[in-house]
Amino acid sequence: MARDGREGSIEVITGVMFSGKSEELLRRVRRALIARRKVQVFKSHLDDRYSGIMAISSHDGRHIEAVAINEARQIAERLDPDAEVVAIDEVQFLDDTVVEIVNDLADRGVRVIVSGTDMDFRGLPFGPIGPLLAIAERIDKLHAICVVCGDLATRNQRLIDGKPAPAEGPTIQVGGAESYEARCRRHHEVPSVADDQMSLVDR
Ligand code: ADP
């Protein structure tokens, strides 16, 4: 799978929800297409919020057709052998084997661009993002705007009925603006069910 002797690489676009990761991934994909590179886009199909599972979308509505996957091995299975650029959106939902697959692609001369949120709603590292950051040639960490104070947001605030969701909830719960907000560290709230029970006892 030689690609005109080009060196492969891994680029990671990460950060909080609403920080423009999908927009940036799309921008790089569009520019690769302008450069007449053969591009293939994969998207974890757990996330089909905006326009169905076969497209990657940014919040401004732009989209490009993508191969929907729900396990990392499907990247290897459905790979176009001629692909020079492979982009993977919402990589945080994939299992850890994505790290080896991505590394292998880069070793074979492919430019790999992955995007995904770096922290879960508790503020802990999300899925395979940590190891991907470690092996990447290039990392861009994007920020959104904190909906509470207007500072730079780094955290995913999960909401249930408009209130901060407890830490005990499932790590993966796909949602958009109705159930997540971008917030700064100071305004990121992760209550614990145990704390709620304690406060009931106090009363
Ligand atoms: P991501 O892939 O990181 O979730 P998108 O590329 O889908 O982000 O969307 C980014 C867009 O979301 C911004 O260009 C902006 O129009 C919109 N947006 C909505 N809420 C916010 C916010 N709190 N901070 C910044 N941008 C926001």
Side-chain angles (χ1 to χ4, degrees):
M1 226 199 277
R3 284 157 181 80
D4 301 337
R6 270 190 217 104
E7 196 176 35
S9 61
I10 301 171
E11 301 164 30
V12 179
I13 306 164
T14 193
V16 65
M17 288 171 74
F18 308 107
S19 61
K21 299 182 299 298
S22 295
E23 287 172 354
E24 178 58 22
L25 186 84
L26 281 172
R27 192 182 76 91
R28 293 186 198 182
V29 164
R30 271 195 303 272
R31 290 166 65 89
L33 291 171
I34 290 168
R36 298 202 171 77
R37 301 285 180 264
K38 180 99 179 125
V39 183
Q40 194 175 21
V41 180
F42 293 93
K43 179 182 167 76
S44 150
H45 84 184
L46 275 169
D47 185 352
D48 59 354
R49 286 172 287 172
Y50 299 108
S51 60
I53 60 169
M54 295 308 287
I56 58 166
S57 304
S58 68
H59 289 113
D60 69 2
R62 280 177 294 187
H63 72 276
I64 184 169
E65 292 298 304
V67 179
I69 51 168
N70 52 19
E71 285 174 52
R73 65 175 172 79
Q74 292 170 310
I75 297 170
E77 285 167 9
R78 302 186 63 183
L79 185 72
D80 177 344
D82 297 327
E84 297 164 291
V85 178
V86 169
I88 310 168
D89 196 22
E90 304 285 5
V91 75
Q92 77 277 0
F93 293 140
L94 297 176
D95 51 282
D96 286 351
T97 56
V98 72
V99 180
E100 197 183 324
I101 291 168
V102 156
N103 213 18
D104 189 47
L105 283 173
D107 283 347
R108 285 148 68 193
V110 176
R111 176 185 172 198
V112 185
I113 312 168
V114 307
S115 85
T117 195
D118 46 1
M119 284 178 258
D120 66 14
F121 75 105
R122 305 179 193 91
L124 299 175
F126 206 146
I129 280 284
L132 286 171
L133 292 173
I135 62 169
E137 269 80 8
R138 174 178 171 184
I139 299 165
D140 290 279
K141 178 151 174 161
L142 308 182
H143 301 95
I145 300 298
C146 174
V147 297
V148 178
C149 69
D151 282 350
L152 290 182
T154 52
R155 306 286 167 126
N156 295 309
Q157 178 67 56
R158 182 184 287 172
L159 300 169
I160 298 176
D161 296 331
K163 296 203 189 82
E168 288 81 358
T171 299
I172 295 181
Q173 189 171 293
V174 177
E178 75 295 340
S179 44
Y180 288 96
E181 283 177 352
R183 296 201 187 178
C184 66
R185 182 186 285 271
R186 205 157 45 101
H187 292 114
H188 182 238
E189 293 175 71
V190 191
S192 155
V193 171
D195 292 346
D196 279 1
Q197 282 162 355
M198 285 299 283
S199 69
L200 283 177
V201 172
D202 288 347
R203 264 181 233 154

PDB file of all heavy atoms in Angstrom, residues 187-203:
ATOM      1  N   HIS A 187     -17.358  25.530  36.248  1.00  0.00           N
ATOM      2  CA  HIS A 187     -18.811  25.350  36.192  1.00  0.00           C
ATOM      3  C   HIS A 187     -19.251  23.936  35.815  1.00  0.00           C
ATOM      4  O   HIS A 187     -20.424  23.690  35.569  1.00  0.00           O
ATOM      5  CB  HIS A 187     -19.420  26.399  35.239  1.00  0.00           C
ATOM      6  CG  HIS A 187     -19.317  27.781  35.785  1.00  0.00           C
ATOM      7  ND1 HIS A 187     -18.544  28.771  35.207  1.00  0.00           N
ATOM      8  CD2 HIS A 187     -19.856  28.318  36.917  1.00  0.00           C
ATOM      9  CE1 HIS A 187     -18.640  29.879  35.946  1.00  0.00           C
ATOM     10  NE2 HIS A 187     -19.417  29.627  36.978  1.00  0.00           N
ATOM     11  N   HIS A 188     -18.278  23.030  35.770  1.00  0.00           N
ATOM     12  CA  HIS A 188     -18.595  21.628  35.457  1.00  0.00           C
ATOM     13  C   HIS A 188     -19.060  20.948  36.743  1.00  0.00           C
ATOM     14  O   HIS A 188     -18.340  20.940  37.739  1.00  0.00           O
ATOM     15  CB  HIS A 188     -17.339  20.939  34.902  1.00  0.00           C
ATOM     16  CG  HIS A 188     -17.536  19.533  34.494  1.00  0.00           C
ATOM     17  ND1 HIS A 188     -16.809  18.490  35.018  1.00  0.00           N
ATOM     18  CD2 HIS A 188     -18.394  18.988  33.608  1.00  0.00           C
ATOM     19  CE1 HIS A 188     -17.204  17.360  34.453  1.00  0.00           C
ATOM     20  NE2 HIS A 188     -18.162  17.633  33.598  1.00  0.00           N
ATOM     21  N   GLU A 189     -20.259  20.405  36.726  1.00  0.00           N
ATOM     22  CA  GLU A 189     -20.822  19.802  37.944  1.00  0.00           C
ATOM     23  C   GLU A 189     -21.111  18.326  37.717  1.00  0.00           C
ATOM     24  O   GLU A 189     -21.809  17.963  36.764  1.00  0.00           O
ATOM     25  CB  GLU A 189     -22.140  20.486  38.317  1.00  0.00           C
ATOM     26  CG  GLU A 189     -21.990  21.933  38.749  1.00  0.00           C
ATOM     27  CD  GLU A 189     -23.362  22.549  38.978  1.00  0.00           C
ATOM     28  OE1 GLU A 189     -24.018  22.188  39.974  1.00  0.00           O
ATOM     29  OE2 GLU A 189     -23.775  23.360  38.132  1.00  0.00           O
ATOM     30  N   VAL A 190     -20.577  17.481  38.623  1.00  0.00           N
ATOM     31  CA  VAL A 190     -20.842  16.044  38.558  1.00  0.00           C
ATOM     32  C   VAL A 190     -21.266  15.573  39.949  1.00  0.00           C
ATOM     33  O   VAL A 190     -20.448  15.086  40.726  1.00  0.00           O
ATOM     34  CB  VAL A 190     -19.600  15.244  38.075  1.00  0.00           C
ATOM     35  CG1 VAL A 190     -19.996  13.801  37.750  1.00  0.00           C
ATOM     36  CG2 VAL A 190     -18.960  15.894  36.872  1.00  0.00           C
ATOM     37  N   PRO A 191     -22.540  15.742  40.278  1.00  0.00           N
ATOM     38  CA  PRO A 191     -22.992  15.291  41.590  1.00  0.00           C
ATOM     39  C   PRO A 191     -22.961  13.771  41.671  1.00  0.00           C
ATOM     40  O   PRO A 191     -22.935  13.092  40.640  1.00  0.00           O
ATOM     41  CB  PRO A 191     -24.431  15.813  41.673  1.00  0.00           C
ATOM     42  CG  PRO A 191     -24.865  15.954  40.255  1.00  0.00           C
ATOM     43  CD  PRO A 191     -23.641  16.269  39.452  1.00  0.00           C
ATOM     44  N   SER A 192     -22.950  13.260  42.889  1.00  0.00           N
ATOM     45  CA  SER A 192     -22.991  11.814  43.071  1.00  0.00           C
ATOM     46  C   SER A 192     -24.337  11.455  43.690  1.00  0.00           C
ATOM     47  O   SER A 192     -24.850  12.196  44.521  1.00  0.00           O
ATOM     48  CB  SER A 192     -21.824  11.417  43.975  1.00  0.00           C
ATOM     49  OG  SER A 192     -22.116  10.226  44.623  1.00  0.00           O
ATOM     50  N   VAL A 193     -24.904  10.320  43.271  1.00  0.00           N
ATOM     51  CA  VAL A 193     -26.167   9.861  43.869  1.00  0.00           C
ATOM     52  C   VAL A 193     -25.977   9.724  45.375  1.00  0.00           C
ATOM     53  O   VAL A 193     -26.828  10.099  46.169  1.00  0.00           O
ATOM     54  CB  VAL A 193     -26.600   8.506  43.250  1.00  0.00           C
ATOM     55  CG1 VAL A 193     -27.771   7.923  44.016  1.00  0.00           C
ATOM     56  CG2 VAL A 193     -26.948   8.676  41.785  1.00  0.00           C
ATOM     57  N   ALA A 194     -24.789   9.238  45.791  1.00  0.00           N
ATOM     58  CA  ALA A 194     -24.498   9.062  47.220  1.00  0.00           C
ATOM     59  C   ALA A 194     -24.609  10.409  47.952  1.00  0.00           C
ATOM     60  O   ALA A 194     -25.162  10.495  49.039  1.00  0.00           O
ATOM     61  CB  ALA A 194     -23.108   8.475  47.388  1.00  0.00           C
ATOM     62  N   ASP A 195     -24.114  11.500  47.321  1.00  0.00           N
ATOM     63  CA  ASP A 195     -24.198  12.840  47.942  1.00  0.00           C
ATOM     64  C   ASP A 195     -25.653  13.223  48.153  1.00  0.00           C
ATOM     65  O   ASP A 195     -26.033  13.758  49.190  1.00  0.00           O
ATOM     66  CB  ASP A 195     -23.556  13.910  47.052  1.00  0.00           C
ATOM     67  CG  ASP A 195     -22.056  13.723  46.957  1.00  0.00           C
ATOM     68  OD1 ASP A 195     -21.512  12.946  47.775  1.00  0.00           O
ATOM     69  OD2 ASP A 195     -21.454  14.332  46.058  1.00  0.00           O
ATOM     70  N   ASP A 196     -26.509  12.937  47.137  1.00  0.00           N
ATOM     71  CA  ASP A 196     -27.940  13.275  47.234  1.00  0.00           C
ATOM     72  C   ASP A 196     -28.573  12.559  48.420  1.00  0.00           C
ATOM     73  O   ASP A 196     -29.335  13.126  49.173  1.00  0.00           O
ATOM     74  CB  ASP A 196     -28.682  12.838  45.958  1.00  0.00           C
ATOM     75  CG  ASP A 196     -28.488  13.856  44.850  1.00  0.00           C
ATOM     76  OD1 ASP A 196     -27.774  14.844  45.113  1.00  0.00           O
ATOM     77  OD2 ASP A 196     -29.030  13.645  43.756  1.00  0.00           O
ATOM     78  N   GLN A 197     -28.190  11.258  48.551  1.00  0.00           N
ATOM     79  CA  GLN A 197     -28.778  10.492  49.654  1.00  0.00           C
ATOM     80  C   GLN A 197     -28.335  11.054  50.990  1.00  0.00           C
ATOM     81  O   GLN A 197     -29.118  11.166  51.923  1.00  0.00           O
ATOM     82  CB  GLN A 197     -28.397   9.013  49.521  1.00  0.00           C
ATOM     83  CG  GLN A 197     -29.256   8.328  48.464  1.00  0.00           C
ATOM     84  CD  GLN A 197     -28.663   7.022  47.970  1.00  0.00           C
ATOM     85  OE1 GLN A 197     -27.545   6.663  48.346  1.00  0.00           O
ATOM     86  NE2 GLN A 197     -29.391   6.324  47.133  1.00  0.00           N
ATOM     87  N   MET A 198     -27.051  11.476  51.058  1.00  0.00           N
ATOM     88  CA  MET A 198     -26.534  12.083  52.293  1.00  0.00           C
ATOM     89  C   MET A 198     -27.323  13.338  52.635  1.00  0.00           C
ATOM     90  O   MET A 198     -27.698  13.562  53.780  1.00  0.00           O
ATOM     91  CB  MET A 198     -25.052  12.452  52.134  1.00  0.00           C
ATOM     92  CG  MET A 198     -24.109  11.268  52.174  1.00  0.00           C
ATOM     93  SD  MET A 198     -24.176  10.376  53.718  1.00  0.00           S
ATOM     94  CE  MET A 198     -23.232  11.498  54.746  1.00  0.00           C
ATOM     95  N   SER A 199     -27.605  14.177  51.594  1.00  0.00           N
ATOM     96  CA  SER A 199     -28.280  15.439  51.884  1.00  0.00           C
ATOM     97  C   SER A 199     -29.714  15.185  52.337  1.00  0.00           C
ATOM     98  O   SER A 199     -30.260  15.932  53.131  1.00  0.00           O
ATOM     99  CB  SER A 199     -28.232  16.388  50.678  1.00  0.00           C
ATOM    100  OG  SER A 199     -29.029  15.872  49.655  1.00  0.00           O
ATOM    101  N   LEU A 200     -30.323  14.062  51.895  1.00  0.00           N
ATOM    102  CA  LEU A 200     -31.664  13.711  52.378  1.00  0.00           C
ATOM    103  C   LEU A 200     -31.608  13.345  53.865  1.00  0.00           C
ATOM    104  O   LEU A 200     -32.454  13.748  54.651  1.00  0.00           O
ATOM    105  CB  LEU A 200     -32.217  12.515  51.577  1.00  0.00           C
ATOM    106  CG  LEU A 200     -32.749  12.843  50.172  1.00  0.00           C
ATOM    107  CD1 LEU A 200     -33.182  11.562  49.474  1.00  0.00           C
ATOM    108  CD2 LEU A 200     -33.926  13.807  50.251  1.00  0.00           C
ATOM    109  N   VAL A 201     -30.546  12.596  54.225  1.00  0.00           N
ATOM    110  CA  VAL A 201     -30.363  12.191  55.620  1.00  0.00           C
ATOM    111  C   VAL A 201     -30.190  13.434  56.495  1.00  0.00           C
ATOM    112  O   VAL A 201     -30.726  13.531  57.588  1.00  0.00           O
ATOM    113  CB  VAL A 201     -29.138  11.243  55.757  1.00  0.00           C
ATOM    114  CG1 VAL A 201     -28.818  10.981  57.213  1.00  0.00           C
ATOM    115  CG2 VAL A 201     -29.412   9.950  55.006  1.00  0.00           C
ATOM    116  N   ASP A 202     -29.434  14.421  55.978  1.00  0.00           N
ATOM    117  CA  ASP A 202     -29.158  15.659  56.726  1.00  0.00           C
ATOM    118  C   ASP A 202     -30.439  16.405  57.081  1.00  0.00           C
ATOM    119  O   ASP A 202     -30.491  17.099  58.095  1.00  0.00           O
ATOM    120  CB  ASP A 202     -28.274  16.610  55.896  1.00  0.00           C
ATOM    121  CG  ASP A 202     -26.845  16.066  55.819  1.00  0.00           C
ATOM    122  OD1 ASP A 202     -26.546  15.143  56.591  1.00  0.00           O
ATOM    123  OD2 ASP A 202     -26.078  16.567  54.971  1.00  0.00           O
ATOM    124  N   ARG A 203     -31.443  16.292  56.182  1.00  0.00           N
ATOM    125  CA  ARG A 203     -32.623  17.146  56.376  1.00  0.00           C
ATOM    126  C   ARG A 203     -33.495  16.789  57.569  1.00  0.00           C
ATOM    127  O   ARG A 203     -33.572  15.725  58.033  1.00  0.00           O
ATOM    128  CB  ARG A 203     -33.495  17.077  55.107  1.00  0.00           C
ATOM    129  CG  ARG A 203     -33.166  18.242  54.230  1.00  0.00           C
ATOM    130  CD  ARG A 203     -34.024  18.194  53.002  1.00  0.00           C
ATOM    131  NE  ARG A 203     -33.135  18.274  51.842  1.00  0.00           N
ATOM    132  CZ  ARG A 203     -33.433  17.780  50.641  1.00  0.00           C
ATOM    133  NH1 ARG A 203     -34.539  17.153  50.462  1.00  0.00           N
ATOM    134  NH2 ARG A 203     -32.614  17.940  49.641  1.00  0.00           N
TER     135      ARG A 203
END
